[in-house]
Amino acid sequence: MKLAAIDIGTNSIHMVIAKVTHRNSFQIIDREKEMVKLGEGVFATNNLSERAYREGLETIRRYVQLADQRGADEIITVATSAIREAHNGGDFLNELVRETGISPEVISGSKEARLIFKAVRNEIALQGAHAMVIDIGGGSTEITVGNEQEILMGKSMKLGVLRLLDMFSGEGSVGEEAIGVLEAHIRFVAQNIIQEAKDLGFSRIIGTSGTIRTLGEAAHIAAGGKPMKSVNAEVVKLSDLDNLTKQLLKMKPEKRAGINGIGEKRADAIHLGGALLVQLLQMAGVEEITLCDASLREGLILDYLENHTQSIANFPESKDLRHKSAFQLAYQFNVDWEQKMHVASLALQLFDHSSKLHGLGDFERDIVEYASLLHSVGQYIRFERYHKHSRYIIAHAGLRGFNDEEILLISQVVRYHRKKAPAKKHKKFKKLTKAQKNTVRILSGILRVAVSLDRTKNQLVKEVVCKHSRKKLVLQIAGRPENMKLELWATRRHLAPLAKALGRDITLEPVPADPS
């Protein structure tokens, strides 16, 4: 099983793709990061800029395409402070849903903190001790305290590098007076949360996020250290961070970009991130910080694995994105996937053997296959009227890999696979084109028969062969005739809609299945 996690952050948009190796472990097989700076100007204007809006959508579209190409079975997506606070954040998410089919969860700061801690303790050995984790983002900073077994607190503060950039001095150097105001502001906002963390107690501080890792490596190099091959678990002294930050605050962006370990993309706000980190460490009363590579996206993967333990071991291999998408919806609504695969097989046999009668092609063949796989999702709500519940779920589930017409037809075929056949007076059916109505009549008739042929859900019918003449259609039902009595009884009761759609009288002929 493969999972993709997309973190729509205020400063950067990240994605990791992971291969699940066990119920609680995974291997990262791909990473992507784009510093879109989605939150640039948000905290001054309360709106995503036109540039950020456009580049954000383009980046996520590309990520979704990559995740699909890499075979991701699920794409987990969350958005943080910029989307939470922008007036047009909802518009951004709605457009993202329409264009990609994914539906990001806008998470709270406290949930973000807890997900980050899960990622950190999966990468750093806490050895039974309490740790405080700091994650500095573009719009907020998360503080978490916990250990290997539990998370004791998870809080978020409205302190982030882009938020501070909107509040103080822009990208240029910061004067002494402004530095005093900046530091006082940080201490005022952070004091209660840092005190709560100190009251709980911790023996070490771990820092994650791009801002902290960048500052840590740059401070380490500036103090005479060699570039780090991996920042994970490396320790950086507060004194080195403080010395670097004092230099950065006096520099213009182009000079900051020339500092080894920083680079052009972070030069606009890294000095403010340094001031924030130094103040937090001083308030916490520590002399050093441990760096960590893992962050929110790894936490999303771990959280998914914790909440889907039953699906991990038995997640089937899927032939393509649409098959994966159908399985995920079926799993969500507790559908017996193996049984529905059998119904789909019977439906496709009926479709293929009667192709000269109905004249439909590959497009419609796919419709009846996915309608067969998903026809019972509505039973999760209630058995009564479940065909209508199933139609609603399919129409609104955002199935990835299907276009609007395919979803419309699948939902309509499912709607009419039991109870009343399609009728002109039905409002939704009446809106279909003439060709679509014909397709729904035929495919819903086929699905009705296929479902009946597995009435006991014991997969007793092994094969269906159709033989037809100008007036009749004979369905040869292969299995053990003495065991198929209930299936044959149920199917005879549900032949009329298909007979009408195909213009043939239909009879059943049970035959012994081939022993091989």
Side-chain angles (χ1 to χ4, degrees):
M1 180 182 184
K2 293 178 183 177
L3 299 172
I6 299 175
D7 164 17
I8 306 173
T10 301
N11 207 21
S12 301
I13 301 178
H14 294 261
M15 179 176 73
V16 295
I17 301 175
K19 181 179 180 181
V20 177
T21 56
H22 198 261
R23 288 188 176 181
N24 61 355
S25 61
F26 59 89
Q27 175 188 3
I28 299 295
I29 60 174
D30 209 344
R31 288 183 185 272
E32 286 289 329
K33 181 188 80 171
E34 192 69 40
M35 290 193 70
V36 175
K37 297 186 186 296
L38 203 60
E40 193 173 59
V42 163
F43 309 108
T45 66
N46 294 318
N47 273 299
L48 301 173
S49 70
E50 184 177 346
R51 177 207 60 79
Y53 195 109
R54 183 183 66 254
E55 290 185 19
L57 288 174
E58 183 178 328
T59 297
I60 299 166
R61 278 197 301 265
R62 188 169 66 250
Y63 285 2
V64 171
Q65 290 172 357
L66 177 60
D68 289 341
Q69 290 168 3
R70 293 301 306 269
D73 298 292
E74 184 75 76
I75 300 177
I76 316 153
T77 316
V78 297
T80 56
S81 59
I83 299 298
R84 283 198 299 264
E85 298 185 38
H87 291 167
N88 58 347
D91 296 334
F92 179 89
L93 294 180
N94 288 334
E95 190 164 343
L96 188 59
V97 172
R98 287 195 300 271
E99 292 188 13
T100 68
I102 64 171
S103 184
E105 177 187 3
V106 181
I107 58 173
S108 67
S110 60
K111 181 171 182 178
E112 185 179 354
R114 291 173 179 273
L115 289 170
I116 290 166
F117 191 88
K118 287 184 179 183
V120 169
R121 72 180 176 192
N122 193 57
E123 288 290 329
I124 303 290
L126 300 184
Q127 298 175 326
H130 286 188
M132 183 172 95
V133 172
I134 303 175
D135 183 284
I136 295 176
S140 63
T141 292
E142 279 61 53
I143 302 290
T144 321
V145 176
N147 53 45
E148 291 169 330
Q149 285 75 41
E150 60 181 335
I151 298 173
L152 303 173
M153 69 163 273
K155 297 291 178 68
S156 181
M157 305 177 291
K158 289 190 174 184
L159 290 170
V161 293
L162 294 185
R163 191 187 294 273
L164 292 174
L165 193 64
D166 282 349
M167 295 175 66
F168 295 95
S169 78
E171 298 180 6
S173 59
V174 185
E176 290 296 326
E177 184 176 347
I179 290 174
V181 175
L182 171 64
E183 292 175 345
H185 173 73
I186 292 168
R187 288 179 173 273
F188 176 79
V189 175
Q191 59 185 346
N192 291 338
I193 290 177
I194 295 295
Q195 187 58 53
E196 183 179 348
K198 291 173 74 173
D199 290 343
L200 288 169
F202 50 83
S203 58
R204 66 194 300 195
I205 287 186
I206 300 170
T208 183
S209 77
T211 293
I212 294 179
R213 290 194 297 269
T214 298
L215 286 165
E217 184 167 20
H220 171 76
I221 294 171
K226 295 181 179 180
M228 300 173 178
K229 291 182 179 179
S230 170
V231 302
N232 203 54
E234 294 289 343
V235 176
V236 179
K237 295 178 180 179
L238 169 58
S239 58
D240 292 339
L241 287 166
D242 191 26
N243 290 335
L244 174 67
T245 298
K246 286 173 179 174
Q247 294 178 46
L248 294 173
L249 287 166
K250 296 175 183 178
M251 293 177 175
K252 293 182 178 180
E254 55 269 25
K255 285 287 186 77
R256 292 195 290 265
I259 297 291
N260 199 343
I262 291 182
E264 187 176 332
K265 289 187 176 181
R266 292 198 181 272
D268 61 339
I270 194 67
H271 59 309
L272 301 175
L276 174 54
L277 180 59
V278 167
Q279 291 302 306
L280 294 177
L281 295 178
Q282 289 177 349
M283 294 172 72
V286 297
E287 297 298 325
E288 61 186 27
I289 183 170
T290 301
L291 306 181
C292 180
D293 259 334
S295 196
L296 177 57
R297 43 262 173 214
E298 288 85 358
L300 289 170
I301 300 287
L302 289 165
D303 190 64
Y304 182 95
L305 297 183
E306 288 176 10
N307 291 312
H308 295 80
T309 53
Q310 294 302 314
S311 69
I312 303 306
N314 300 313
F315 207 100
E317 289 293 326
S318 297
K319 58 186 180 183
D320 56 26
L321 171 62
R322 304 194 326 167
H323 204 254
K324 293 172 188 174
S325 185
F327 172 79
Q328 288 156 13
L329 185 64
Y331 177 78
Q332 181 181 349
F333 289 95
N334 293 335
V335 168
D336 183 340
W337 184 248
E338 184 178 348
Q339 190 265 331
K340 295 305 176 286
M341 289 280 286
H342 182 68
V343 171
S345 174
L346 296 175
L348 292 176
Q349 290 175 50
L350 286 165
F351 181 94
D352 292 342
H353 288 299
S354 61
S355 60
K356 290 183 179 179
L357 298 181
H358 57 64
L360 302 178
D362 290 342
F363 174 83
E364 293 83 6
R365 190 179 191 275
D366 285 349
I367 299 299
V368 78
E369 177 182 7
Y370 288 104
S372 301
L373 294 171
L374 297 173
H375 70 270
S376 68
V377 290
Q379 290 188 19
Y380 185 87
I381 298 173
R382 191 176 180 183
F383 182 82
E384 185 183 4
R385 295 162 52 93
Y386 82 78
H387 51 301
K388 294 184 178 181
H389 299 318
S390 296
R391 177 190 64 187
Y392 182 87
I393 290 169
I394 293 166
H396 294 87
L399 282 165
R400 292 168 49 243
F402 297 88
N403 62 35
D404 290 346
E405 184 181 15
E406 288 168 330
I407 290 175
L408 172 66
L409 291 176
I410 291 169
S411 64
Q412 285 293 303
V413 170
V414 166
R415 155 68 177 89
Y416 291 110
H417 87 277
R418 66 190 294 266
K419 301 294 184 180
K420 293 182 179 179
K424 293 179 180 179
K425 65 180 180 180
H426 296 160
K427 292 181 180 179
K428 289 184 173 62
F429 184 75
K430 187 161 54 175
K431 293 179 181 178
L432 301 178
T433 66
K434 184 177 180 180
Q436 288 172 339
K437 288 176 183 175
N438 181 56
T439 296
V440 170
R441 288 190 182 100
I442 294 168
L443 299 187
S444 62
I446 288 175
L447 180 55
R448 190 179 291 245
V449 171
V451 171
S452 300
L453 287 171
D454 197 35
R455 179 66 179 81
T456 62
K457 296 181 171 55
N458 288 321
Q459 302 178 27
L460 300 175
V461 174
K462 305 303 180 184
E463 187 181 8
V464 181
V465 176
C466 302
K467 294 187 176 182
H468 59 85
S469 63
R470 201 165 67 178
K471 293 184 178 181
K472 291 185 178 181
L473 173 64
V474 177
L475 304 184
Q476 292 185 332
I477 312 301
R480 295 181 63 180
E482 66 274 17
N483 292 342
M484 298 188 300
K485 291 180 180 179
L486 193 54
E487 276 73 15
L488 295 170
W489 167 80
T491 304
R492 289 190 179 101
R493 296 176 65 229
H494 295 110
L495 290 173
L498 181 60
K500 183 177 180 181
L502 297 178
R504 298 288 191 283
D505 290 333
I506 302 177
T507 57
L508 303 183
E509 181 183 323
V511 296
D514 185 344
S516 61

